[in-house]
């Protein structure tokens, strides 16, 4: 059975290096013959604000319903996004808030603080860009974005084996540095990791 990959791009600027990384990953996947579907968050039509919190359900827009189908279909989820203020861009956070809902991604147990994970059997990779060296982000800040995505989001809904590729510093980087990481990310796509 072919591996099915969902590529989720969380950068709001289509001309960013993140989009080049996503294209490199996709190129690698296609060279290996695996199946891939993209979710380009900036192109979706949806309200990123969970305006009633979890008190009242906001109906999902067609683009979010389609995105849910893609996430269910996939065996492997790949998120490409920049680390801004030790987190993800607002549009990506809004996407996650709106799409990973109770009844779809998890189910709260009655009379319990625990939830059942509904997106089990999947793996994931985070491809993140930073304006600082990854070792500095890890040692000084403790990688809060990775911890939030791995522990607080993906593991919570049942996604295991979350790998992370951190690329930085991007600001002031030279073309040689960027090309090196485009090749590395293409190889990850070929291996579908």
């Amino acid at each position: 059975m072919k591996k099915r990959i969902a590529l989720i791009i969380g950068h709001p600027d289509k001309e960013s290096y993140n989009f080049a990384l996503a294209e490199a990953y996709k190129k690698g996947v296609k060279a290996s013959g695996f199946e891939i579907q993209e979710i380009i968050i900036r192109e979706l039509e949806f309200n990123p604000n969970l305006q009633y919190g979890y008190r009242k359900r906001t109906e999902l827009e067609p683009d979010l319903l389609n995105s849910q189908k893609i996430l269910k279909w996939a065996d492997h989820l790949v998120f490409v996004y920049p680390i801004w203020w030790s987190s993800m861009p607002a549009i990506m956070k809004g996407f996650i808030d709106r799409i990973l809902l109770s009844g779809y991604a998890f189910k709260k147990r009655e009379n319990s603080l625990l939830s059942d994970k509904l997106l089990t059997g999947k793996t994931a990779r985070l491809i993140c860009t930073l304006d600082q060296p990854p070792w500095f982000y890890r040692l000084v800040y403790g990688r809060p974005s990775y911890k939030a995505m791995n522990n607080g989001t993906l593991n919570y809904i049942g996604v295991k084996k979350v790998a992370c590729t951190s690329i930085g510093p991007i600001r002031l980087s030279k073309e040689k540095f960027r090309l090196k990481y485009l090749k590395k990310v293409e190889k990850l796509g070929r291996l579908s990791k």
Side-chain angles (χ1 to χ4, degrees), residues 10-62:
H11 200 298
D13 181 2
K14 193 165 179 85
E15 295 182 29
S16 69
Y17 182 58
N18 281 247
F19 271 85
L21 290 167
E23 282 300 313
Y25 187 89
K26 187 168 65 171
K27 181 180 175 184
V29 169
K30 287 183 175 182
S32 293
F34 296 113
E35 296 180 64
I36 188 166
Q37 290 191 53
E38 283 181 288
I39 299 171
I40 303 171
I41 298 172
R42 73 179 297 278
E43 294 179 0
L44 304 180
E45 290 188 26
F46 74 104
N47 179 357
N49 184 18
L50 191 62
Q51 62 191 40
Y52 304 110
Y54 292 101
R55 176 181 58 83
K56 179 179 168 184
R57 177 63 62 96
T58 302
E59 290 302 314
L60 293 177
E61 296 86 346

Side-chain angles (χ1 to χ4, degrees), residues 159-175:
V159 179
K160 298 291 181 193
K161 296 183 181 175
V162 179
C164 185
T165 301
S166 298
I167 304 167
I170 295 302
R171 192 172 72 82
L172 306 178
S173 66
K174 305 287 187 237
E175 184 178 0

Side-chain angles (χ1 to χ4, degrees), residues 106-193:
F106 64 96
K107 183 178 180 196
K108 294 184 180 204
R109 296 180 187 172
E110 197 170 324
N111 299 317
S112 174
L113 295 176
L114 301 176
S115 296
D116 294 318
K117 303 164 192 263
L118 300 181
L119 293 179
T120 58
K122 300 177 186 304
T123 58
R125 173 165 300 273
L126 311 177
I127 300 174
C128 304
T129 57
L130 308 115
D131 277 340
Q132 57 195 281
W135 63 264
F136 184 85
Y137 183 66
R138 184 181 68 250
L139 292 176
V140 175
Y141 296 110
R143 298 193 322 167
S145 178
Y146 171 76
K147 288 179 181 176
M149 278 295 284
N150 181 46
N151 304 334
T153 304
L154 296 172
N155 284 332
Y156 185 80
I157 62 174
V159 179
K160 298 291 181 193
K161 296 183 181 175
V162 179
C164 185
T165 301
S166 298
I167 304 167
I170 295 302
R171 192 172 72 82
L172 306 178
S173 66
K174 305 287 187 237
E175 184 178 0
K176 182 179 177 182
F177 175 89
R178 291 175 179 231
L179 288 173
K180 176 179 94 171
Y181 278 99
L182 289 173
K183 288 178 184 174
K184 284 186 175 191
V185 167
E186 182 181 338
K187 184 177 180 182
L188 288 172
R190 279 197 311 273
L191 300 172
S192 294
K193 289 185 170 184

